[in-house]
Protein backbone atom coordinates (compact mmCIF):
# COMPACT_ATOMS: atom_id res chain seq x y z
CA UNK A 1 0.00 0.00 0.00
CA UNK A 2 1.05 3.58 -0.36
CA UNK A 3 1.63 3.80 3.39
CA UNK A 4 3.73 0.68 3.78
CA UNK A 5 6.75 2.31 2.18
CA UNK A 6 8.84 0.80 -0.56
CA UNK A 7 11.94 0.97 1.64
CA UNK A 8 14.42 1.26 -1.18
CA UNK A 9 16.35 4.06 0.49
CA UNK A 10 18.36 1.37 2.23
CA UNK A 11 19.21 -0.32 -1.04
CA UNK A 12 22.69 -1.78 -0.89
CA UNK A 13 24.77 -0.53 -3.76
CA UNK A 14 27.00 -3.33 -4.99
CA UNK A 15 29.67 -0.98 -6.32
CA UNK A 16 30.05 0.90 -3.03
CA UNK A 17 30.10 -2.27 -0.97
CA UNK A 18 32.81 -3.85 -3.09
CA UNK A 19 35.06 -0.84 -3.31
CA UNK A 20 34.80 0.39 0.26
CA UNK A 21 36.39 3.67 -0.73
CA UNK A 22 35.76 7.28 0.15
CA UNK A 23 33.47 9.64 -1.68
CA UNK A 24 36.27 11.33 -3.61
CA UNK A 25 37.71 8.08 -4.91
CA UNK A 26 34.26 6.84 -5.84
CA UNK A 27 33.51 10.05 -7.73
CA UNK A 28 36.78 9.71 -9.64
CA UNK A 29 35.99 6.10 -10.51
CA UNK A 30 32.52 7.01 -11.78
CA UNK A 31 34.04 9.75 -13.93
CA UNK A 32 36.52 7.28 -15.42
CA UNK A 33 33.83 4.71 -16.10
CA UNK A 34 31.68 7.26 -17.82
CA UNK A 35 34.48 8.26 -20.14
CA UNK A 36 35.41 4.74 -21.24
CA UNK A 37 34.63 3.87 -24.86
CA UNK A 38 31.50 1.84 -25.52
CA UNK A 39 27.82 2.51 -25.03
CA UNK A 40 28.16 5.50 -22.77
CA UNK A 41 27.15 6.29 -19.21
CA UNK A 42 25.05 3.92 -17.18
CA UNK A 43 25.88 0.72 -19.08
CA UNK A 44 28.60 -0.63 -16.78
CA UNK A 45 27.55 -4.02 -15.47
CA UNK A 46 24.64 -4.34 -17.88
CA UNK A 47 23.99 -6.74 -20.73
CA UNK A 48 22.04 -6.69 -23.97
CA UNK A 49 20.92 -10.28 -23.37
CA UNK A 50 18.23 -9.56 -20.84
CA UNK A 51 15.95 -12.24 -22.20
CA UNK A 52 18.55 -14.99 -21.91
CA UNK A 53 17.17 -17.72 -19.66
CA UNK A 54 18.64 -17.38 -16.19
CA UNK A 55 19.90 -20.42 -14.32
CA UNK A 56 18.21 -23.77 -14.61
CA UNK A 57 14.46 -23.28 -14.28
CA UNK A 58 12.61 -26.45 -13.45
CA UNK A 59 10.02 -27.57 -15.95
CA UNK A 60 6.57 -27.17 -14.37
CA UNK A 61 5.00 -30.46 -13.35
CA UNK A 62 1.66 -29.36 -14.76
CA UNK A 63 0.02 -26.47 -16.52
CA UNK A 64 -0.20 -23.30 -14.46
CA UNK A 65 -3.44 -22.65 -12.61
CA UNK A 66 -4.69 -19.11 -11.96
CA UNK A 67 -4.87 -19.76 -8.22
CA UNK A 68 -1.61 -20.12 -6.28
CA UNK A 69 -2.68 -20.12 -2.64
CA UNK A 70 -1.47 -18.16 0.39
CA UNK A 71 2.07 -16.87 0.63
CA UNK A 72 4.16 -13.73 1.03
CA UNK A 73 5.97 -10.90 -0.75
CA UNK A 74 9.71 -10.34 -0.53
CA UNK A 75 10.55 -6.79 0.53
CA UNK A 76 13.79 -4.81 0.74
CA UNK A 77 15.54 -7.30 2.99
CA UNK A 78 14.88 -11.00 2.67
CA UNK A 79 16.42 -14.42 3.13
CA UNK A 80 18.26 -14.43 -0.19
CA UNK A 81 21.10 -12.53 1.52
CA UNK A 82 22.99 -12.75 4.79
CA UNK A 83 24.73 -15.52 6.66
CA UNK A 84 24.89 -18.72 4.62
CA UNK A 85 23.65 -20.72 7.61
CA UNK A 86 20.72 -18.36 8.15
CA UNK A 87 19.63 -18.21 4.51
CA UNK A 88 19.84 -22.01 4.34
CA UNK A 89 17.69 -22.26 7.47
CA UNK A 90 15.02 -19.99 5.99
CA UNK A 91 15.17 -21.89 2.73
CA UNK A 92 14.62 -25.12 4.65
CA UNK A 93 11.59 -23.67 6.46
CA UNK A 94 9.97 -22.80 3.16
CA UNK A 95 10.89 -26.08 1.52
CA UNK A 96 8.91 -27.99 4.15
CA UNK A 97 5.76 -26.04 3.31
CA UNK A 98 6.30 -24.33 -0.07
CA UNK A 99 4.37 -21.09 -0.48
CA UNK A 100 3.88 -18.73 -3.41
CA UNK A 101 6.32 -15.81 -3.27
CA UNK A 102 6.14 -12.40 -4.96
CA UNK A 103 9.05 -10.30 -6.14
CA UNK A 104 8.84 -6.89 -7.84
CA UNK A 105 11.09 -6.18 -10.81
CA UNK A 106 12.40 -2.85 -9.44
CA UNK A 107 12.60 -1.75 -5.82
CA UNK A 108 11.80 -3.85 -2.76
CA UNK A 109 15.12 -5.65 -3.07
CA UNK A 110 15.56 -5.52 -6.85
CA UNK A 111 17.70 -3.06 -8.78
CA UNK A 112 16.89 -1.17 -11.96
CA UNK A 113 16.27 -3.93 -14.53
CA UNK A 114 16.87 -1.75 -17.59
CA UNK A 115 18.97 1.33 -16.71
CA UNK A 116 19.24 2.29 -20.38
CA UNK A 117 17.05 1.16 -23.22
CA UNK A 118 18.13 -2.30 -24.31
CA UNK A 119 20.70 -2.62 -21.48
CA UNK A 120 19.68 -4.91 -18.61
CA UNK A 121 20.79 -5.58 -15.06
CA UNK A 122 19.01 -8.43 -13.29
CA UNK A 123 21.59 -9.25 -10.60
CA UNK A 124 19.27 -8.77 -7.61
CA UNK A 125 16.24 -10.13 -9.42
CA UNK A 126 18.19 -13.25 -10.37
CA UNK A 127 19.14 -13.82 -6.75
CA UNK A 128 15.53 -13.55 -5.57
CA UNK A 129 14.34 -15.93 -8.30
CA UNK A 130 17.11 -18.37 -7.32
CA UNK A 131 15.88 -18.27 -3.72
CA UNK A 132 12.30 -18.94 -4.79
CA UNK A 133 13.45 -21.89 -6.86
CA UNK A 134 15.61 -23.32 -4.07
CA UNK A 135 12.82 -23.00 -1.49
CA UNK A 136 10.23 -24.62 -3.74
CA UNK A 137 7.80 -21.73 -3.80
CA UNK A 138 5.59 -20.79 -6.72
CA UNK A 139 7.25 -17.63 -8.10
CA UNK A 140 5.08 -14.62 -8.85
CA UNK A 141 6.42 -11.42 -10.40
CA UNK A 142 4.91 -7.98 -9.90
CA UNK A 143 5.70 -5.82 -12.92
CA UNK A 144 6.58 -2.63 -11.06
CA UNK A 145 8.32 -0.28 -11.14
CA UNK A 146 9.73 1.36 -14.28
CA UNK A 147 13.24 2.54 -15.20
CA UNK A 148 13.87 6.29 -15.06
CA UNK A 149 14.20 6.76 -18.83
CA UNK A 150 10.61 5.56 -19.22
CA UNK A 151 9.28 8.32 -16.96
CA UNK A 152 11.22 11.47 -17.82
CA UNK A 153 14.54 10.64 -16.16
CA UNK A 154 17.99 10.36 -17.66
CA UNK A 155 19.08 7.17 -19.37
CA UNK A 156 21.56 5.33 -17.18
CA UNK A 157 20.45 7.09 -13.98
CA UNK A 158 18.30 5.71 -11.17
CA UNK A 159 16.53 7.98 -8.70
CA UNK A 160 15.66 5.80 -5.73
CA UNK A 161 13.52 8.38 -3.97
CA UNK A 162 10.00 7.24 -3.16
CA UNK A 163 8.50 9.90 -5.39
CA UNK A 164 10.56 8.81 -8.38
CA UNK A 165 9.95 5.11 -7.86
CA UNK A 166 6.20 5.63 -7.61
CA UNK A 167 6.04 7.50 -10.92
CA UNK A 168 4.29 5.63 -13.72
CA UNK A 169 5.84 5.31 -17.18
CA UNK A 170 5.04 8.08 -19.65
CA UNK A 171 2.36 6.97 -22.13
CA UNK A 172 4.97 7.24 -24.88
CA UNK A 173 6.89 4.46 -23.10
CA UNK A 174 4.03 2.07 -22.35
CA UNK A 175 5.24 -0.10 -25.23
CA UNK A 176 8.76 -0.07 -23.77
CA UNK A 177 7.44 -1.22 -20.40
CA UNK A 178 5.47 -4.01 -22.08
CA UNK A 179 8.66 -5.04 -23.88
CA UNK A 180 10.48 -5.13 -20.52
CA UNK A 181 7.71 -7.36 -19.13
CA UNK A 182 8.20 -9.74 -22.06
CA UNK A 183 11.95 -9.75 -21.42
CA UNK A 184 11.37 -10.72 -17.80
CA UNK A 185 9.01 -13.52 -18.85
CA UNK A 186 11.61 -14.91 -21.27
CA UNK A 187 14.38 -14.70 -18.69
CA UNK A 188 12.38 -16.64 -16.09
CA UNK A 189 10.27 -19.16 -18.03
CA UNK A 190 9.27 -20.92 -14.82
CA UNK A 191 7.45 -17.79 -13.65
CA UNK A 192 3.90 -18.37 -14.82
CA UNK A 193 2.09 -15.64 -12.89
CA UNK A 194 2.50 -11.89 -13.43
CA UNK A 195 0.78 -8.96 -11.72
CA UNK A 196 0.69 -5.74 -13.73
CA UNK A 197 1.94 -2.75 -11.73
CA UNK A 198 1.41 -1.95 -8.05
CA UNK A 199 -1.43 0.05 -6.46
CA UNK A 200 -1.95 2.40 -9.44
CA UNK A 201 1.28 4.17 -8.40
CA UNK A 202 1.60 7.31 -10.51
CA UNK A 203 -1.87 6.90 -12.00
CA UNK A 204 -3.68 9.70 -10.18
CA UNK A 205 -5.39 12.40 -12.24
CA UNK A 206 -5.03 15.64 -10.28
CA UNK A 207 -7.25 17.70 -12.55
CA UNK A 208 -10.15 15.27 -12.22
CA UNK A 209 -9.38 14.27 -8.61
CA UNK A 210 -9.70 10.61 -9.46
CA UNK A 211 -7.62 7.67 -10.60
CA UNK A 212 -6.30 7.68 -14.15
CA UNK A 213 -7.89 4.33 -14.84
CA UNK A 214 -7.76 4.93 -18.60
CA UNK A 215 -3.96 5.22 -18.49
CA UNK A 216 -3.51 2.19 -16.24
CA UNK A 217 -5.81 0.05 -18.38
CA UNK A 218 -3.94 1.05 -21.53
CA UNK A 219 -0.65 -0.02 -19.91
CA UNK A 220 -2.23 -3.20 -18.54
CA UNK A 221 -3.57 -4.23 -21.94
CA UNK A 222 -0.21 -3.73 -23.66
CA UNK A 223 1.56 -5.78 -20.99
CA UNK A 224 -1.11 -8.47 -21.08
CA UNK A 225 -0.75 -8.87 -24.85
CA UNK A 226 3.06 -8.84 -24.68
CA UNK A 227 3.12 -11.61 -22.07
CA UNK A 228 0.59 -13.73 -23.94
CA UNK A 229 2.75 -13.36 -27.06
CA UNK A 230 5.68 -14.84 -25.13
CA UNK A 231 3.52 -17.75 -23.98
CA UNK A 232 -0.25 -17.86 -24.11
CA UNK A 233 -0.27 -20.02 -20.97
CA UNK A 234 1.25 -17.27 -18.83
CA UNK A 235 -1.22 -16.09 -16.17
CA UNK A 236 -1.76 -12.32 -15.94
CA UNK A 237 -3.76 -10.27 -13.45
CA UNK A 238 -4.59 -6.76 -12.23
CA UNK A 239 -5.55 -4.09 -11.37
CA UNK A 240 -3.90 -4.20 -7.90
CA UNK A 241 -5.98 -1.27 -6.63
CA UNK A 242 -5.88 -0.17 -3.00
CA UNK A 243 -9.43 -0.73 -1.78
CA UNK A 244 -9.58 2.34 0.42
CA UNK A 245 -12.44 2.86 2.86
CA UNK A 246 -13.65 5.99 4.60
CA UNK A 247 -15.15 6.86 7.96
CA UNK A 248 -18.84 5.83 7.74
CA UNK A 249 -19.86 9.40 8.61
CA UNK A 250 -18.09 10.77 5.55
CA UNK A 251 -20.30 11.33 2.51
CA UNK A 252 -17.94 12.93 -0.01
CA UNK A 253 -16.52 10.23 -2.36
CA UNK A 254 -18.33 7.58 -0.33
CA UNK A 255 -19.98 4.59 -1.96
CA UNK A 256 -23.73 4.50 -1.35
CA UNK A 257 -23.82 0.71 -1.36
CA UNK A 258 -20.50 -0.89 -0.32
CA UNK A 259 -20.30 -0.17 3.37
CA UNK A 260 -20.52 -1.65 6.82
CA UNK A 261 -19.59 -1.05 10.43
CA UNK A 262 -15.96 -1.05 9.19
CA UNK A 263 -16.57 2.06 7.04
CA UNK A 264 -17.60 3.00 3.52
CA UNK A 265 -15.72 2.24 0.32
CA UNK A 266 -14.21 5.13 -1.62
CA UNK A 267 -16.35 5.31 -4.75
CA UNK A 268 -13.39 6.53 -6.82
CA UNK A 269 -11.68 3.19 -6.26
CA UNK A 270 -14.78 1.26 -7.27
CA UNK A 271 -15.12 3.37 -10.42
CA UNK A 272 -11.51 2.64 -11.35
CA UNK A 273 -12.05 -1.08 -10.83
CA UNK A 274 -15.19 -1.11 -12.94
CA UNK A 275 -13.46 0.69 -15.81
CA UNK A 276 -10.55 -1.76 -15.82
CA UNK A 277 -12.89 -4.72 -15.58
CA UNK A 278 -14.95 -3.49 -18.55
CA UNK A 279 -12.03 -2.50 -20.80
CA UNK A 280 -9.32 -5.03 -19.94
CA UNK A 281 -7.92 -7.12 -22.80
CA UNK A 282 -8.23 -10.17 -20.58
CA UNK A 283 -7.26 -11.49 -17.16
CA UNK A 284 -6.56 -14.88 -15.60
CA UNK A 285 -7.07 -13.64 -12.05
CA UNK A 286 -8.06 -10.39 -10.37
CA UNK A 287 -5.85 -8.59 -7.84
CA UNK A 288 -6.73 -6.15 -5.06
CA UNK A 289 -4.96 -4.76 -2.04
CA UNK A 290 -6.13 -3.02 1.10
CA UNK A 291 -6.30 -2.58 4.82
CA UNK A 292 -9.03 -3.36 7.31
CA UNK A 293 -8.72 0.18 8.68
CA UNK A 294 -9.96 3.39 7.05
CA UNK A 295 -7.82 5.97 5.26
CA UNK A 296 -7.66 7.77 8.61
CA UNK A 297 -6.27 4.62 10.26
CA UNK A 298 -9.46 3.90 12.19
CA UNK A 299 -10.25 0.30 13.12
CA UNK A 300 -14.04 0.20 13.19
CA UNK A 301 -15.69 -0.91 15.36
CA UNK A 302 -12.56 -2.72 16.59
CA UNK A 303 -9.54 -4.46 15.09
CA UNK A 304 -11.32 -7.81 14.65
CA UNK A 305 -14.67 -6.60 13.34
CA UNK A 306 -12.83 -4.27 10.95
CA UNK A 307 -11.58 -7.33 9.03
CA UNK A 308 -15.17 -7.86 7.80
CA UNK A 309 -14.21 -5.29 5.16
CA UNK A 310 -12.14 -7.97 3.40
CA UNK A 311 -15.21 -10.15 3.07
CA UNK A 312 -17.38 -7.30 1.77
CA UNK A 313 -14.77 -6.19 -0.79
CA UNK A 314 -14.22 -9.75 -1.93
CA UNK A 315 -17.92 -10.32 -2.48
CA UNK A 316 -18.22 -7.04 -4.40
CA UNK A 317 -15.29 -7.93 -6.68
CA UNK A 318 -16.51 -11.48 -7.27
CA UNK A 319 -19.94 -10.22 -8.27
CA UNK A 320 -18.28 -8.29 -11.09
CA UNK A 321 -15.60 -10.73 -12.22
CA UNK A 322 -17.45 -14.03 -11.99
CA UNK A 323 -15.13 -17.00 -12.20
CA UNK A 324 -11.88 -15.03 -12.03
CA UNK A 325 -9.88 -16.13 -8.97
CA UNK A 326 -9.44 -13.36 -6.41
CA UNK A 327 -6.00 -12.48 -5.06
CA UNK A 328 -5.09 -10.08 -2.25
CA UNK A 329 -1.59 -8.90 -3.23
CA UNK A 330 -1.27 -7.11 0.13
CA UNK A 331 -3.44 -6.90 3.22
CA UNK A 332 -2.99 -4.94 6.43
CA UNK A 333 -4.77 -5.06 9.78
CA UNK A 334 -2.46 -2.93 11.94
CA UNK A 335 -2.05 0.80 11.24
CA UNK A 336 1.51 2.05 10.93
CA UNK A 337 3.08 4.76 13.05
CA UNK A 338 4.70 7.95 11.75
CA UNK A 339 7.81 6.01 10.71
CA UNK A 340 5.71 3.47 8.83
CA UNK A 341 6.45 0.84 11.48
CA UNK A 342 3.95 -1.60 12.96
CA UNK A 343 5.36 -2.38 16.37
CA UNK A 344 2.60 -1.24 18.69
CA UNK A 345 0.93 -4.62 19.20
CA UNK A 346 2.16 -7.73 20.94
CA UNK A 347 2.96 -10.57 18.55
CA UNK A 348 0.11 -12.61 20.05
CA UNK A 349 -2.40 -9.87 19.26
CA UNK A 350 -0.89 -9.32 15.80
CA UNK A 351 -1.15 -12.99 14.85
CA UNK A 352 -4.73 -13.20 16.08
CA UNK A 353 -5.90 -10.19 14.07
CA UNK A 354 -3.96 -11.38 11.03
CA UNK A 355 -5.71 -14.74 11.36
CA UNK A 356 -9.06 -12.97 11.48
CA UNK A 357 -8.07 -11.08 8.33
CA UNK A 358 -7.19 -14.27 6.48
CA UNK A 359 -10.49 -15.82 7.52
CA UNK A 360 -12.36 -12.75 6.25
CA UNK A 361 -10.57 -12.83 2.90
CA UNK A 362 -11.36 -16.51 2.43
CA UNK A 363 -15.00 -15.88 3.31
CA UNK A 364 -15.08 -13.18 0.64
CA UNK A 365 -14.03 -15.67 -2.02
CA UNK A 366 -10.26 -15.11 -2.13
CA UNK A 367 -8.11 -18.13 -2.91
CA UNK A 368 -4.71 -16.42 -2.88
CA UNK A 369 -3.19 -13.80 -0.62
CA UNK A 370 0.29 -12.47 0.09
CA UNK A 371 1.61 -11.31 3.44
CA UNK A 372 3.89 -8.30 3.08
CA UNK A 373 6.96 -9.68 4.88
CA UNK A 374 8.70 -6.86 6.77
CA UNK A 375 12.07 -8.48 7.42
CA UNK A 376 14.55 -6.29 9.25
CA UNK A 377 18.07 -5.99 7.90
CA UNK A 378 19.55 -6.98 11.26
CA UNK A 379 18.93 -7.07 14.97
CA UNK A 380 17.01 -9.38 17.32
CA UNK A 381 13.62 -7.70 17.08
CA UNK A 382 11.42 -8.11 14.04
CA UNK A 383 7.76 -7.26 14.67
CA UNK A 384 5.47 -9.16 12.34
CA UNK A 385 8.28 -10.88 10.45
CA UNK A 386 8.08 -14.42 9.14
CA UNK A 387 11.60 -15.34 10.27
CA UNK A 388 14.44 -13.80 12.22
CA UNK A 389 16.85 -11.56 10.27
CA UNK A 390 19.40 -13.52 8.28
CA UNK A 391 22.35 -11.21 8.96
CA UNK A 392 23.73 -13.58 11.63
CA UNK A 393 24.31 -17.32 11.67
CA UNK A 394 21.42 -17.98 14.06
CA UNK A 395 18.92 -16.11 11.85
CA UNK A 396 16.32 -17.54 9.52
CA UNK A 397 14.33 -19.13 12.36
CA UNK A 398 10.54 -19.26 12.14
CA UNK A 399 8.49 -16.61 13.94
CA UNK A 400 4.78 -16.80 14.88
CA UNK A 401 3.60 -15.14 11.65
CA UNK A 402 5.40 -17.81 9.62
CA UNK A 403 3.47 -20.52 11.42
CA UNK A 404 0.17 -18.74 10.75
CA UNK A 405 0.76 -18.08 7.05
CA UNK A 406 2.23 -21.50 6.30
CA UNK A 407 -0.48 -23.36 8.24
CA UNK A 408 -3.21 -21.34 6.55
CA UNK A 409 -1.73 -22.12 3.15
CA UNK A 410 -1.53 -25.82 3.93
CA UNK A 411 -5.00 -26.19 5.41
CA UNK A 412 -6.92 -23.88 3.05
CA UNK A 413 -5.42 -24.27 -0.44
CA UNK A 414 -7.26 -23.24 -3.63
CA UNK A 415 -10.31 -25.41 -4.17
CA UNK A 416 -11.03 -25.76 -0.45
CA UNK A 417 -14.66 -26.48 0.38
CA UNK A 418 -15.54 -24.59 3.54
CA UNK A 419 -18.07 -25.88 6.03
CA UNK A 420 -20.21 -24.21 8.65
CA UNK A 421 -19.52 -25.27 12.21
CA UNK A 422 -21.61 -24.52 15.26
CA UNK A 423 -20.55 -21.69 17.55
CA UNK A 424 -22.52 -21.13 20.75
CA UNK A 425 -24.53 -17.94 20.48
CA UNK A 426 -22.77 -16.31 23.41
CA UNK A 427 -19.40 -16.99 21.80
CA UNK A 428 -20.10 -15.55 18.32
CA UNK A 429 -18.80 -12.03 19.03
CA UNK A 430 -15.72 -13.42 20.76
CA UNK A 431 -14.37 -15.96 18.28
CA UNK A 432 -13.61 -16.11 14.57
CA UNK A 433 -13.86 -19.50 12.86
CA UNK A 434 -13.01 -21.06 9.50
CA UNK A 435 -13.53 -24.77 8.88
CA UNK A 436 -13.29 -27.62 6.39
CA UNK A 437 -14.32 -31.23 6.83
CA UNK A 438 -11.02 -31.91 8.60
CA UNK A 439 -9.77 -28.66 10.15
CA UNK A 440 -11.15 -25.80 12.22
CA UNK A 441 -9.25 -22.56 12.77
CA UNK A 442 -10.43 -20.74 15.90
CA UNK A 443 -9.35 -17.25 16.99
CA UNK A 444 -10.04 -15.64 20.35
CA UNK A 445 -10.84 -11.99 19.60
CA UNK A 446 -10.42 -10.86 23.20
CA UNK A 447 -7.36 -9.89 25.24
CA UNK A 448 -8.37 -12.27 28.03
CA UNK A 449 -8.93 -15.98 28.45
CA UNK A 450 -12.38 -17.31 27.57
CA UNK A 451 -14.35 -20.53 27.41
CA UNK A 452 -16.08 -21.09 24.08
CA UNK A 453 -18.10 -23.88 22.53
CA UNK A 454 -17.10 -24.46 18.91
CA UNK A 455 -18.10 -27.41 16.73
CA UNK A 456 -19.63 -29.08 19.75
CA UNK A 457 -16.41 -28.85 21.77
CA UNK A 458 -15.81 -26.77 24.85
CA UNK A 459 -12.55 -24.86 24.42
CA UNK A 460 -10.37 -22.91 26.81
CA UNK A 461 -8.70 -20.14 24.82
CA UNK A 462 -5.99 -17.85 26.11
CA UNK A 463 -5.91 -14.14 25.32
CA UNK A 464 -5.75 -13.73 21.51
CA UNK A 465 -5.10 -17.45 21.14
CA UNK A 466 -5.15 -19.00 17.67
CA UNK A 467 -6.04 -22.70 17.81
CA UNK A 468 -6.12 -25.36 15.08
CA UNK A 469 -8.53 -28.25 15.65
CA UNK A 470 -8.81 -31.57 13.88
CA UNK A 471 -12.33 -32.78 13.13
Amino acid sequence: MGRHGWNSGARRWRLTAVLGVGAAALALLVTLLNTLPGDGAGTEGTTRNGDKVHGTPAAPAKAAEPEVGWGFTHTQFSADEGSAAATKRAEGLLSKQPMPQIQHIMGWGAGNPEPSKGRYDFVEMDRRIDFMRASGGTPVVTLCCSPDWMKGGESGDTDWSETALETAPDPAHYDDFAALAATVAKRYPDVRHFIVWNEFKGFWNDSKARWDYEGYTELYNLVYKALKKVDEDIMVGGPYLVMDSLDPRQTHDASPTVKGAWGTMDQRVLDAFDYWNKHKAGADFVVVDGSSYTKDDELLPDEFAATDKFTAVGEWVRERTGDLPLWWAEYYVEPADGDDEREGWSETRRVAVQAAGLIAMARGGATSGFYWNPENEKGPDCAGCLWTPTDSADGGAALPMFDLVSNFGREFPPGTAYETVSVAAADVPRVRVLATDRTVLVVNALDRSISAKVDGRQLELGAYEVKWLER
Side-chain angles (χ1 to χ4, degrees):
M1 299 179 60
R3 291 186 293 275
H4 63 55
W6 60 278
N7 195 27
S8 198
R11 182 176 184 268
R12 294 142 297 185
W13 294 94
R14 298 190 305 280
L15 185 62
T16 303
V18 171
L19 294 176
V21 295
L26 180 59
L28 175 60
L29 178 61
V30 170
T31 300
L32 290 173
L33 288 174
N34 286 343
T35 57
L36 289 175
D39 296 306
T43 62
E44 184 71 17
T46 64
T47 177
R48 292 192 183 279
N49 300 321
D51 60 358
K52 181 181 178 181
V53 174
H54 168 69
T56 53
K62 59 180 181 179
E65 298 291 338
E67 301 165 300
V68 294
W70 305 88
F72 66 94
T73 296
H74 291 278
T75 51
Q76 180 64 22
F77 305 107
S78 198
D80 59 310
E81 288 190 284
S83 160
T87 57
K88 197 68 177 178
R89 186 175 296 111
E91 181 185 304
L93 281 176
L94 291 165
S95 297
K96 292 177 183 177
Q97 177 55 46
M99 292 186 282
Q101 305 172 33
I102 288 179
Q103 175 60 46
H104 290 64
I105 63 170
M106 181 175 174
W108 299 281
N112 188 334
E114 192 178 2
S116 300
K117 186 170 184 176
R119 304 293 310 209
Y120 303 95
D121 181 357
F122 286 109
V123 172
E124 291 95 346
M125 188 74 182
D126 287 348
R127 186 171 60 239
R128 288 282 169 93
I129 294 294
D130 286 342
F131 181 81
M132 292 180 187
R133 290 171 176 170
S135 59
T138 300
V140 178
V141 166
T142 294
L143 295 165
C144 183
C145 295
S146 71
D148 293 53
W149 61 271
M150 293 187 191
K151 53 194 179 188
E154 292 295 324
S155 178
D157 289 344
T158 303
D159 182 350
W160 287 106
S161 68
E162 185 171 1
T163 299
L165 191 73
E166 295 189 353
T167 298
D170 294 336
H173 288 291
Y174 286 175
D175 282 320
D176 291 317
F177 188 80
L180 174 58
T183 297
V184 172
K186 293 174 183 177
R187 186 173 186 83
Y188 311 115
D190 50 336
V191 177
R192 314 302 292 163
H193 301 84
F194 290 85
I195 301 173
V196 182
W197 207 243
N198 172 304
E199 297 186 329
F200 267 48
K201 285 180 169 60
F203 286 100
W204 178 258
N205 187 318
D206 283 321
S207 63
K208 296 182 179 180
R210 65 163 175 81
W211 292 107
D212 176 18
Y213 39 72
E214 299 95 340
Y216 170 79
T217 304
E218 181 182 351
L219 176 68
Y220 174 90
N221 286 342
L222 288 169
V223 172
Y224 177 88
K225 292 172 184 177
L227 292 173
K228 293 294 186 177
K229 187 174 181 180
V230 172
D231 186 339
E232 63 180 10
D233 292 330
I234 285 176
M235 303 278 129
V236 187
Y240 202 154
L241 269 165
V242 183
M243 306 304 281
D244 281 329
S245 54
L246 312 171
D247 186 290
R249 295 165 296 185
Q250 183 173 333
T251 57
H252 186 62
D253 299 323
S255 167
T257 56
V258 189
K259 55 187 176 180
W262 44 266
T264 304
M265 282 299 299
D266 188 324
Q267 186 60 45
R268 295 170 298 181
V269 176
L270 305 185
D271 291 343
F273 185 93
D274 279 336
Y275 182 91
W276 169 83
N277 191 42
K278 181 179 179 180
H279 296 90
K280 65 184 183 297
D284 298 291
F285 53 91
V286 61
V287 186
V288 296
D289 157 358
S291 62
S292 58
Y293 43 88
T294 68
K295 290 180 71 174
D296 294 324
D297 291 344
E298 294 180 292
L299 289 161
L300 303 173
D302 59 57
E303 69 268 41
F304 287 93
T307 63
D308 291 340
K309 171 185 172 179
F310 296 137
T311 302
V313 169
E315 290 173 345
W316 182 87
V317 170
R318 294 280 289 163
E319 286 176 359
R320 280 150 181 78
T321 57
D323 294 334
L324 284 183
L326 171 59
W327 293 22
W328 284 86
E330 302 174 42
Y331 52 91
Y332 301 90
V333 299
E334 180 182 1
D337 62 20
D339 296 321
D340 201 30
E341 298 291 342
R342 292 175 171 83
E343 300 178 343
W345 292 358
S346 68
E347 202 68 8
T348 304
R349 180 184 181 189
R350 179 176 296 113
V351 170
V353 185
Q354 287 282 352
L358 287 166
I359 290 171
M361 284 184 280
R363 289 192 178 281
T367 55
S368 303
F370 295 85
Y371 181 68
W372 190 270
N373 181 34
E375 181 175 339
N376 288 348
E377 182 179 13
K378 56 186 177 181
D381 298 322
C382 200
C385 295
L386 297 179
W387 49 75
T388 54
T390 54
D391 66 307
S392 60
D394 61 350
L399 290 171
M401 274 304 304
F402 178 87
D403 293 334
L404 173 63
V405 175
S406 61
N407 287 343
F408 199 91
R410 182 185 65 248
E411 298 298 337
F412 306 121
T416 294
Y418 295 105
E419 296 191 355
T420 300
V421 296
S422 61
V423 178
D427 300 326
V428 171
R430 304 186 296 172
V431 297
R432 297 268 162 158
V433 177
L434 188 66
T436 67
D437 60 353
R438 53 189 174 80
T439 303
V440 183
L441 170 59
V442 184
V443 181
N444 178 8
L446 296 177
D447 61 351
R448 59 178 175 79
S449 299
I450 62 170
S451 294
K453 192 171 186 179
V454 178
D455 200 24
R457 282 178 277 187
Q458 194 67 39
L459 305 177
E460 300 299 321
L461 299 170
Y464 296 133
E465 183 174 0
V466 175
K467 186 181 287 288
W468 296 86
L469 307 175
E470 292 184 1
R471 301 187 74 188

